[in-house]
């Protein structure tokens, strides 16, 4: 029986097969208990109190006592990543969490994490960050390194990575090799230096030594690398090389090692070097490698524990190497022929080969290593309020997938909302939907011409007439409450030109208006009675919204502007980071007292006709704003790209609240001050409904 070292810890070893768990007490070499699970025991993770195992309920994990196997607690997590700093970290379903490993109490929860843990690698604590490798599913599977704030769980940054190779002050070195390119070219490894403060790539270099020697064979042996104290050590085709770090490889004084292998590298520059059959402690200097062999023959592999310490048998001694490479004798190894070392948390097993027909035997050493300062995280208190949702299921699409891609919302005078729906399939009709405040639906299909109509923006005027534009045609259509339909064709309008689509809004007196960017920039009342030409230096209108001050507000690539009922234009510059030509990246909502809210990515801005008033940022770097709506009391409701909503109070406090279900795609306020949402794009079911903040 071979037990994975990752399934050992705190004096115990756990073995799983099928639905069975067997717990071994390493101190007595006896079976402590065994247990049959409802789920497969494929992923076991030790914690101080016992062992974590999959639960039969998807998305849950059970902790069993190390003493007797009784159930201790259940956590909401798919995959335990491991314990670091005395804290249990676990991931799954794009959520990463920290737990108290003794009680299972959640310390924090971070949405917007990666798809799945990359190779179930344990987390690393460094400079106040929890560094965790994930495998994210884009066009291909690729590795990403997420940096979580250790105390709050907020994602500080994400960078492409397949593993951390080393550190220097404030910087991590990662393997950022792009695998598809590596398959077609001689690219053994790309190493990037990452600023730990913000995740920015400081530099990135590809190392491809001796192409004539290695290009044809470098896939035959794994490419390995370490970075320490200003040097890169990389193994290609079985040969080790040294480069100056953070320097173009051609100018980095490359050096090829002969008869030497780098087994480990420490942050202070000490290297464990294998020279023939000897183990040496070495340091790099300019043009040289100074090595000091240890007495005795190296008789085992050098193995590494999760905390970074290393072990090897040199001569007759089991030697431990601390975080600075300092050797320390653990015990004497009497057997002549060492097969391997198996590191267990707190213990090192030496497997000795048997002779003359005898079976292998095991020597178990208990080793008390350096104690790390535990990570203290205060448990998150449940907020006094929660977001309550009243959801109405949208009738399914007629397409073969039976689902819709939901579009924007528009408030109706009767307290309901209108919205656009796209079937997302060829030859299937899109629709305009309405729902009353008591959940009564009406869907109106848009026809099946070629190309099929596709609703872009949608508004509803004071009479209940729903207006929308067809993004494939230069038309605006009015659907009256009595069922009549009228389409207005905009002459000389080329909808195929980029970034010049039609924008809709409800202006003063409840009338529908639109903005056009061809043949000239203008804001026009839908009935054609008024036309205001946008100043030429403003640029195209990207977003058009009604303001609480009786004016129409709009965004251009560099300005927030407004036009009064009399046709007077004024504008203020946008915050620098919000300048864009892509209207889909910009969100604009009317606030109170003539103010406007603008959002892009993680940034939220409160602005007026005089300029920027305040700026806010979502705390998670991987979560973006998807919709905005201001409540009647001045609170801003911010939908996020995860099942979560943020509220910005009139005093400027930002708080986040988790949601049950899928992320929100759209928000709007109706005249009776109700907040409506729409959700479910790219999910099996779509919903529209109301949300409110209620006491727990």
């Amino acid at each position: 029986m071979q037990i994975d070292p990752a399934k050992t810890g705190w004096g115990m070893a756990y073995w799983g097969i099928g639905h069975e768990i067997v717990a071994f007490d390493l101190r007595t070499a006896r079976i402590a208990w065994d247990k049959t699970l409802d789920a497969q025991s494929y992923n076991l993770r030790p914690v101080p109190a016992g062992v974590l195992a999959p639960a039969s309920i998807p998305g849950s994990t059970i902790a069993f006592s190390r003493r007797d196997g009784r159930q201790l607690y259940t956590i909401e997590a798919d995959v335990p990543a491991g314990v670091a700093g005395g804290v249990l970290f676990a991931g799954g379903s794009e959520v990463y969490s920290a737990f108290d490993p003794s009680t299972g109490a959640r310390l924090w929860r971070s949405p917007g994490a990666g798809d799945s843990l990359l190779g179930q690698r344990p987390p690393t604590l460094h400079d106040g960050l929890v560094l965790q490798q994930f495998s994210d599913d884009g066009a291909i599977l690729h590795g990403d390194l997420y940096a979580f704030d250790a105390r709050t769980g907020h994602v500080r940054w994400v960078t492409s990575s397949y593993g951390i190779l080393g550190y220097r002050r404030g910087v991590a070195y990662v393997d950022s090799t792009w695998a598809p390119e590596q398959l077609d070219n001689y690219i053994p490894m790309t190493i990037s230096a990452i600023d730990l403060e913000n995740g920015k790539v400081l530099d990135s270099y590809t190392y491809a030594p001796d192409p004539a020697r290695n290009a044809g064979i470098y896939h035959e042996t794994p490419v390995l690398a370490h970075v320490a104290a200003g040097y890169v050590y990389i193994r290609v085709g079985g040969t080790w090389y040294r480069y100056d770090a953070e320097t173009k490889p051609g100018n980095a004084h490359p050096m090829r090692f002969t008869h030497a292998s780098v087994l480990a590298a420490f942050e202070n520059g000490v290297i464990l070097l294998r020279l023939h059959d000897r183990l040496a402690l070495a340091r790099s200097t300019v043009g040289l490698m100074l090595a000091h062999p240890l007495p005795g023959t190296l008789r085992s592999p050098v193995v590494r524990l999760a905390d970074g310490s290393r072990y090897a048998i040199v001569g007759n001694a089991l030697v431990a190497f601390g975080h600075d490479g300092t050797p320390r004798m653990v015990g004497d190894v009497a057997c002549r022929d060492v097969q391997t070392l198996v590191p267990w948390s707190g213990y090192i097993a030496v497997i000795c080969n048997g002779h003359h027909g005898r079976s292998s035997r095991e020597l178990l050493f208990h080793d008390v290593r350096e104690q790390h300062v535990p990570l203290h995280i205060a448990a998150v208190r449940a907020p006094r309020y929660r977001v309550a949702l009243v959801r109405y299921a949208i009738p399914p699409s007629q397409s073969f997938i039976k689902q819709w891609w939901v579009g924007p919302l528009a408030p109706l005078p009767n307290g309901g909302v209108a919205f656009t729906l796209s079937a997302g399939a060829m030859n299937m009709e899109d629709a305009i939907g309405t729902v009353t405040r008591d959940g009564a639906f009406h869907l109106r299909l848009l026809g099946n011409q070629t190309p099929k109509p596709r609703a872009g923006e949608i508004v509803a005027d004071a009479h209940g007439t729903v207006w929308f534009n067809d993004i494939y045609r230069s038309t605006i259509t009015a659907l009256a409450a009595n069922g009549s339909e009228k389409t207005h064709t905009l002459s000389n309008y080329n909808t195929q030109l980029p970034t010049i689509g039609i924008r809709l809004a409800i202006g003063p007196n409840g009338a529908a208006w639109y903005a056009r960017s061809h043949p000239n920039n203008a804001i026009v009342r839908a009935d054609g009675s008024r036309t205001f030409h946008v100043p030429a230096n403003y640029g195209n209108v990207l977003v058009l919204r009604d303001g609480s001050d009786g004016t129409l507000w709009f965004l251009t690539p560099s300005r927030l502007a407004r036009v009064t009922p009399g046709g007077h234009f004024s504008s203020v510059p946008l915050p620098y980071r919000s300048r864009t030509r892509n209207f889909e990246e910009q969100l604009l909502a009317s606030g109170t007292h003539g103010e406007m809210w603008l959002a892009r990515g993680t940034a939220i801005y409160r602005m007026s006709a005089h300029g920027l008033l305040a700026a806010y940022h979502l705390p998670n770097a991987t979560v973006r704003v998807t919709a905005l709506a201001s409540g009647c009391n001045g609170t801003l409701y911010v939908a996020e790209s995860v099942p979560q909503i943020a509220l910005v109070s009139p005093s400027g406090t930002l708080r986040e609240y988790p949601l049950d279900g899928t992320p929100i795609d759209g928000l709007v306020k109706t005249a009776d001050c109700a907040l409506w949402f729409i959700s479910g794009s790219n999910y099996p079911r779509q919903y529209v409904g109301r949300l409110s903040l209620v006491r727990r």
Side-chain angles (χ1 to χ4, degrees):
M1 177 187 300
Q2 183 72 37
I3 297 178
D4 183 352
K7 298 178 181 178
T8 67
W10 293 275
M12 301 293 291
Y14 303 95
W15 182 71
I17 184 171
H19 290 258
E20 301 293 323
I21 296 180
V22 181
F24 298 90
D25 189 325
L26 295 176
R27 287 161 287 205
T28 63
R30 296 180 180 274
I31 294 176
W33 51 267
D34 62 85
K35 198 173 191 69
T36 301
L37 302 179
D38 295 330
Q40 294 278 341
S41 60
Y42 63 92
N43 185 29
L44 305 177
R45 285 286 181 177
V47 293
V51 63
L52 295 171
S56 57
I57 302 174
S60 297
T61 299
I62 301 174
F64 297 100
S65 169
R66 68 180 181 182
R67 293 186 176 86
D68 52 19
R70 61 186 173 86
Q71 182 173 332
L72 298 176
Y73 55 80
T74 300
I75 61 173
E76 293 182 14
D78 289 323
V79 182
V83 175
V87 175
L88 168 64
F89 298 95
S93 302
E94 300 184 354
V95 174
Y96 192 70
S97 299
F99 299 91
D100 183 330
S102 300
T103 64
R106 191 193 297 272
L107 303 177
W108 48 250
R109 177 182 184 273
S110 184
D115 293 338
S116 59
L117 300 182
L118 179 60
Q120 298 179 11
R121 296 183 186 176
T124 302
L125 300 180
H126 205 282
D127 285 4
L129 300 174
V130 180
L131 301 174
Q132 180 71 64
Q133 284 285 159
F134 284 85
S135 176
D136 283 332
D137 187 2
I140 62 170
L141 287 174
H142 59 94
D144 283 320
L145 177 65
Y146 282 68
F148 301 87
D149 187 296
R151 301 195 181 279
T152 65
H154 296 143
V155 180
R156 295 263 294 273
W157 49 263
V158 182
T159 193
S160 177
S161 166
Y162 289 91
I164 300 173
L165 306 176
Y167 300 94
R168 68 172 170 84
R169 180 181 291 274
V171 173
Y173 297 96
V174 302
D175 173 6
S176 58
T177 312
W178 182 233
E181 190 177 17
Q182 187 184 47
L183 294 174
D184 298 326
N185 301 283
Y186 174 53
I187 301 177
M189 185 174 288
T190 300
I191 298 177
S192 298
I194 308 300
D195 189 326
L196 287 169
E197 178 64 28
N198 51 35
K200 291 183 178 179
V201 178
L202 301 176
D203 53 64
S204 185
Y205 297 110
T206 294
Y207 296 88
D210 284 348
R213 172 180 180 148
N214 295 322
I217 63 170
Y218 85 105
H219 282 302
E220 297 178 6
T221 58
V223 178
L224 300 177
H226 308 281
V227 185
Y231 292 97
V232 171
Y233 305 92
I234 182 169
R235 188 186 75 181
V236 182
T239 301
W240 281 92
Y241 300 84
R242 191 191 76 176
Y243 294 83
D244 296 345
E246 299 189 65
T247 304
K248 290 183 179 180
N251 300 327
H253 306 101
M255 174 188 294
R256 183 197 303 145
F257 292 174
T258 56
H259 311 298
S261 299
V262 179
L263 304 181
F266 302 92
E267 279 190 60
N268 63 352
V270 173
I271 300 163
L272 283 183
L273 203 63
R274 179 167 187 160
L275 300 171
H276 300 288
D277 61 351
R278 301 287 298 276
L279 186 63
L281 293 174
R283 280 187 179 273
S284 283
T285 61
V286 177
L288 296 173
M289 176 75 74
L290 302 177
H292 302 280
L294 299 179
T297 302
L298 178 63
R299 300 174 55 213
S300 75
V302 175
V303 297
R304 181 185 188 278
L305 266 65
D307 65 0
S309 54
R310 270 81 168 180
Y311 292 84
I313 298 175
V314 182
N316 292 327
L318 174 61
V319 182
F321 299 89
H323 296 279
D324 59 358
T326 301
R328 172 174 51 85
M329 181 175 174
V330 176
D332 292 320
V333 178
C335 62
R336 291 185 306 170
D337 193 0
V338 176
Q339 185 182 108
T340 189
L341 297 183
V342 181
W344 290 334
S345 182
Y347 293 84
I348 300 294
V350 179
I351 310 300
C352 301
N353 286 323
H355 295 281
H356 307 296
R358 298 178 181 177
S359 60
S360 299
R361 63 193 181 103
E362 178 179 310
L363 306 176
L364 191 63
F365 293 86
H366 176 55
D367 185 31
V368 179
R369 296 179 306 281
E370 304 171 37
Q371 298 296 315
H372 296 280
V373 177
L375 180 63
H376 295 291
I377 303 176
V380 177
R381 294 182 180 179
R384 292 183 298 169
Y385 294 88
R386 65 178 179 86
V387 175
L389 303 179
V390 177
R391 298 193 297 182
Y392 305 114
I394 299 175
S397 163
Q398 296 178 357
S399 70
F400 65 93
I401 56 177
K402 304 298 182 185
Q403 71 183 49
W404 299 102
W405 273 257
V406 298
L409 287 167
L412 293 169
N414 63 6
V417 291
F419 47 90
T420 66
L421 297 170
S422 173
M426 295 180 63
N427 302 320
M428 292 296 169
E429 297 178 70
D430 291 358
I432 297 294
T434 60
V435 60
T436 64
R437 54 178 305 157
D438 59 358
F441 279 95
H442 179 262
L443 299 187
R444 183 164 182 163
L445 298 177
L446 298 184
N448 204 14
Q449 304 100 306
T450 301
K452 65 179 182 179
R454 174 67 57 82
E457 300 202 346
I458 186 171
V459 295
D461 64 23
H463 303 290
T465 299
V466 175
W467 297 75
F468 69 92
N469 69 295
D470 186 343
I471 66 173
Y472 293 144
R473 296 170 177 84
S474 54
T475 60
I476 297 175
T477 299
L479 303 177
N482 61 10
S484 64
E485 177 179 331
K486 184 176 182 180
T487 298
H488 304 261
T489 300
L490 308 182
S491 60
N492 299 322
Y493 201 91
N494 184 356
T495 59
Q496 300 304 312
L497 294 177
T499 71
I500 59 170
I502 299 166
R503 311 289 172 241
L504 297 176
I506 298 300
N509 302 320
W513 291 69
Y514 69 87
R516 71 179 190 216
S517 299
H518 181 81
N520 49 46
N521 291 321
I523 295 175
V524 185
R525 185 162 166 160
D527 60 10
S529 62
R530 303 294 300 274
T531 298
F532 301 134
H533 293 283
V534 178
N537 62 328
Y538 281 22
N540 296 332
V541 177
L542 304 179
V543 184
L544 182 67
R545 292 289 183 268
D546 60 307
S548 58
D549 57 356
T551 65
L552 284 170
W553 290 73
F554 58 97
L555 290 175
T556 71
S558 62
R559 297 172 181 265
L560 172 63
R562 65 174 183 160
V563 58
T564 66
H568 174 71
F569 285 87
S570 61
S571 70
V572 292
L574 291 176
Y576 175 76
R577 294 183 63 186
S578 290
R579 298 186 180 186
T580 178
R581 290 187 173 273
N582 187 348
F583 78 94
E584 294 178 344
E585 295 181 0
Q586 297 279 20
L587 296 169
L588 186 65
S590 175
T592 56
H593 310 299
E595 295 177 355
M596 298 297 289
W597 291 94
L598 164 67
R600 181 190 177 202
T602 63
I604 305 163
Y605 304 100
R606 183 165 64 94
M607 300 188 69
S608 73
H610 302 289
L612 180 66
L613 299 177
Y616 310 89
H617 291 271
L618 297 182
N620 261 11
T622 54
V623 175
R624 72 183 191 281
V625 179
T626 59
L628 295 173
S630 180
C632 287
N633 66 350
T635 297
L636 179 69
Y637 291 75
V638 182
E640 301 182 3
S641 55
V642 296
Q644 189 164 271
I645 192 166
L647 272 64
V648 181
S649 70
S651 63
T653 302
L654 188 150
R655 288 191 175 91
E656 293 178 307
Y657 300 87
L659 299 174
D660 294 328
T662 59
I664 287 176
D665 297 293
L667 281 173
V668 76
K669 176 187 67 179
T670 51
D672 59 357
C673 293
L675 268 295
W676 283 76
F677 71 90
I678 194 165
S679 66
S681 283
N682 209 28
Y683 285 86
R685 296 300 303 271
Q686 291 73 52
Y687 297 93
V688 64
R690 297 185 303 275
L691 63 85
S692 59
L693 201 63
V694 299
R695 281 191 175 273
R696 289 187 174 273

